[in-house]
Amino acid sequence: MSVYVTVSALDAGHLTLPERLFVTDADPERNTTVPSLSFLIQHPSPPPGRPSATQTNIVFDLGIKRDLTGYTPAQQAHIAQRQPIITSPDCADSLRRGGLDPAHDIDLTLLSHIHWDHIGTPSDFPASTFLVGSGTLSMLHHGAGPLYPAELFNPSELPPSRTIELPPSLTSIPHTPSHTPTPLDTKAKLPPFRSTWEWTPLPGSTTLNAIDIFADASLYLIDSPGHLPGHINLVARTAEKKYVYLGGDCCHDARIWTGDKGIALYSDGKGGLRSVHVDTEAARGTLEGMRAWVEGREREGWEVEMVLAHDAGWREGNGGRFWPGCL
């Protein structure tokens, strides 16, 4: 019998992006205020930490902190270039508005990556186990190479005793931080059938690697290298022939996903070029693998809805699908 999850969008702040840093052939003067979306995923199984509950509540990404003073000075200097910023409602407020208490009702919190506009306020989730990409805990303390020095991260963001790192990506990218093994008592908080993690091919893909979280094909973690070390996506099965693909920062503009624009390159300040991705070629490879998988599913009669973290057009057209509504 097939198992499905429900996915609900969550408002988690907005920021403003200069188009020239993100897409090719950009208007050099255009700045666009976009969401930093979070998502609530509900799986029909009792979580280990709340055996009386009938479903496991998962949040994917936490968006922007409601209190910008919670960022480090270097982060705040960067944030000053992304104004205007909207911080209300944040992820926790959006959950409360739909009747969930972030302090007690969220079992797993998954972060696509730990950039400032995705890490939100983890302290709002004191009962949650955090699931992050490999190298995340090291990156919080030591950074990830010259483009992402340590001062761009806050080492105290995540509780090590409640944080699980996924296995290292099967794609090598520069300046990948070291993997931190998971404490045994933290592993005990995972679903009972998931004591270990291992990347295996996503069914239907020859390039994407995945972890079937509940071992029932309802929710896959996707290894999505390129943007930042440890970057992950989610694929959720929401109906008999329907997937929702939560793409995080695989790209920052829907026109890149559709192929109408490319990933912008700009000066790295050292005589070279860079993009918003730590490894541009790996990011392009991830996108190509995603497109191939989606096209293959659609040829087989599936519907696949792609939702990017910063898609302003999707946000404007889907207001009724935010929690307590669903996709």
Side-chain angles (χ1 to χ4, degrees), residues 105-139:
D105 297 334
I106 304 303
D107 305 295
L108 287 173
T109 299
L110 314 182
L111 298 179
S112 65
H113 62 297
I114 55 168
H115 276 152
W116 68 275
D117 54 325
H118 292 259
I119 200 163
T121 308
S123 60
D124 287 337
F125 301 83
S128 183
T129 297
F130 290 83
L131 193 60
V132 297
S134 179
T136 293
L137 292 174
S138 175
M139 188 160 38

